[in-house]
Amino acid sequence: MNHSTWKGSHYESGLRYGATLYERRIFLMEHLTVDQARLDYAQAAIPMYRRHFPEILDEIRGIAEGQRTEQAQMEGFLLSMYSFAVGNHCSCLAYSDGETVLFGRNSDFLTAVEPFCDSPLYRLEGAYRFVGATTAWSEMEDGVNEHGLAAGLTFMYPTKIAPGLNAGMLVRYVLERCRTVEEAIEAIRELPVGSAQAITLADRSGAAAVVECNCESLEVIRPGDGGAVFSANHFVSRALTPYQAQMEDTVHSHERYETMERAFAQRKTWTAGQIQSLLAGEMGFMCQYDRSLGMDTVWSSLYDLKNGVILRAEGNPARCPFAPDGRLWPEI
C-alpha cells in the first residue's frame, strides 16, 4: 500500500502529487476509460462542487497539470465515481460503550487495484488533518481526522442519481471539515448527494451513526443496545430500501451484514483485538473471498478513537497483520 503526504494548498499538493508520479512514469489515467455519460455527469456536478467544495476542484486541476493529462478526463473519472456502477464492496462498523470507541472497515475490491491503493496523510491549509485510505486518489473511502472523527463508505448500486457529491467525496468532505458525528450528519444533509451509499461515522466522544442516503432520501441509523452500528452493500432503513437495486448478491453483502449483526448481538463489550478478529473473518464471513476470481479484501482499517491509535492491515486481514500508523498522532 502506498503512503502519500499532501501539504500546502489543495492545488499545490495536487500538482506535486501528479508531477511526482509523472516523473516516475506513473500515469493515473493511462488505463482508465471515461465514457461520454460520465463526462457529462461530471460537468453537471461541477457547479455543486464549486459551491460546496471548491478546494477539491483545485486539487484535481493540480493533479491533472502535474500528470500532463486532460483535466476534464480526470474530473470525469473522479466526480462520477460511485454514481455509476463500480465493483467496490466493503463492510463498515462502529462500536462505543463510553470507555471504548472503535471504528473498523474492510475494503473489498478488485485485486488488480492493490498496487495503487494509497493511505494518504493530508495536512492541507484551511482543512483538518487526516489519514485516509483510497483505491484511487482525492476521493476517500475511509479515514480519521485530527479531532477523532472517523468516516467510511459502503457503496450501493445506484437506482437514482443526480449531479452532486459522490460517496468518496462525502467522506473526504467530512474528514476535512467536521469534528463530530453530528456535524458530519448535518453536512451530509445539506450537501447535494449524487450517488447511493451508507456513510458510517464515529467520533472520540462515543457518538456513532450510519447515514444511508442517495439523491432523494436520507436516513440516520443510531446504535442500539449493543452500542454498535454497521453497514454492508445493501440498504436496511425503511426510507432507503425502496432504492435497493434488484440484483444477485454475488459479493456476500447480506452474509457480511449478518455476521456483524450476529457478532454484536452475542457480545456486548469489545476490544480492538476482538474487532480485528471480526474483520478478519473469525466470527463468520467477512473477507473469505476466492482470490482466484479477482476480488479480495485489499485493506482493513481499525481506528481506536479514545486512544488515538490507527491500525491497518494492508491486505486481507485474515492473512496480513494489523500494524500501527503513527503519522496523524505521532505523540500518542
Side-chain angles (χ1 to χ4, degrees):
M1 197 170 194
N2 302 303
H3 299 87
S4 61
T5 300
W6 303 63
K7 57 186 179 180
S9 71
H10 286 72
Y11 170 76
E12 290 167 346
S13 66
L15 180 64
R16 187 181 308 111
Y17 178 78
T20 299
L21 294 183
Y22 184 87
E23 291 169 2
R24 293 167 52 193
R25 302 191 65 78
I26 297 173
F27 311 117
L28 294 171
M29 299 297 296
E30 185 175 17
H31 301 295
L32 298 174
T33 300
V34 185
D35 62 24
Q36 192 60 48
R38 292 185 65 172
L39 290 171
D40 291 344
Y41 175 90
Q43 289 303 306
I46 283 175
M48 285 72 170
Y49 283 92
R50 284 184 181 142
R51 179 178 177 184
H52 298 281
F53 201 10
E55 302 93 333
I56 201 69
L57 298 179
D58 294 337
E59 180 174 301
I60 295 169
R61 175 169 58 89
I63 299 169
E65 289 181 12
Q67 283 277 283
R68 304 183 191 180
T69 192
E70 292 184 27
Q71 179 178 335
Q73 287 288 317
M74 189 167 287
E75 290 170 340
F77 172 68
L78 289 171
L79 302 186
S80 69
M81 193 179 292
Y82 301 107
S83 293
F84 290 74
V86 296
N88 181 301
H89 307 285
C90 31
S91 307
C92 209
L93 60 90
Y95 162 80
S96 172
D97 63 10
E99 298 298 321
T100 301
V101 187
L102 301 168
F103 180 100
R105 182 175 178 275
N106 281 353
S107 181
D108 307 337
F109 201 32
L110 304 175
T111 56
V113 308
E114 287 175 324
F116 308 101
C117 292
D118 189 17
S119 174
L121 168 64
Y122 275 89
R123 297 183 299 173
L124 298 179
E125 297 169 359
Y128 297 141
R129 293 182 299 119
F130 70 89
V131 163
T134 178
T135 54
W137 64 94
S138 295
E139 63 90 25
M140 289 298 121
E141 290 149 42
D142 65 70
V144 60
N145 71 18
E146 62 181 294
H147 296 289
L149 172 67
L153 67 86
T154 51
F155 165 77
M156 318 300 183
Y157 279 91
T159 58
K160 297 277 188 178
I161 64 171
L165 275 66
N166 65 48
M169 294 302 183
L170 292 172
V171 171
R172 173 72 186 270
Y173 183 98
V174 301
L175 290 173
E176 285 202 8
R177 297 196 177 191
C178 301
R179 295 169 296 175
T180 67
V181 166
E182 293 308 316
E183 284 186 14
I185 291 171
E186 287 309 305
I188 296 169
R189 285 189 192 278
E190 294 174 6
L191 289 167
V193 175
S195 54
Q197 58 277 307
I199 307 295
T200 301
L201 302 162
D203 66 33
R204 189 172 285 159
S205 77
V210 169
V211 181
E212 292 191 344
C213 56
N214 68 1
C215 62
E216 294 185 346
S217 187
L218 182 148
E219 184 83 3
V220 178
I221 301 170
R222 305 283 183 172
D225 292 339
V229 288
F230 41 90
S231 61
N233 300 109
H234 60 278
F235 289 123
V236 298
S237 69
R238 182 177 297 180
L240 272 297
T241 49
Y243 297 97
Q244 182 63 44
Q246 300 304 305
M247 56 194 300
E248 184 181 0
D249 182 7
T250 60
V251 296
H252 306 274
S253 178
H254 289 80
E255 193 172 358
R256 287 182 278 117
Y257 188 91
E258 289 163 5
T259 293
M260 292 184 284
E261 186 175 45
R262 182 171 57 251
F264 285 114
Q266 293 174 349
R267 183 187 297 275
K268 299 305 180 184
T269 60
W270 290 80
T271 65
Q274 290 162 343
I275 294 293
Q276 290 178 48
S277 296
L278 174 58
L279 294 169
E282 296 176 18
M283 301 177 190
F285 189 97
M286 288 294 287
C287 60
Q288 296 93 318
Y289 297 101
D290 183 349
R291 188 175 171 84
S292 68
L293 299 179
M295 180 174 165
D296 202 357
T297 300
V298 295
W299 77 73
S300 185
S301 297
L302 177 58
Y303 306 130
D304 182 340
L305 301 179
K306 283 286 190 183
N307 294 308
V309 174
I310 298 172
L311 299 169
R312 188 180 308 103
E314 298 193 351
N316 190 304
R319 300 185 298 272
C320 300
F322 283 84
D325 179 344
R327 292 175 295 164
L328 184 63
W329 298 305
E331 69 279 6
I332 297 178

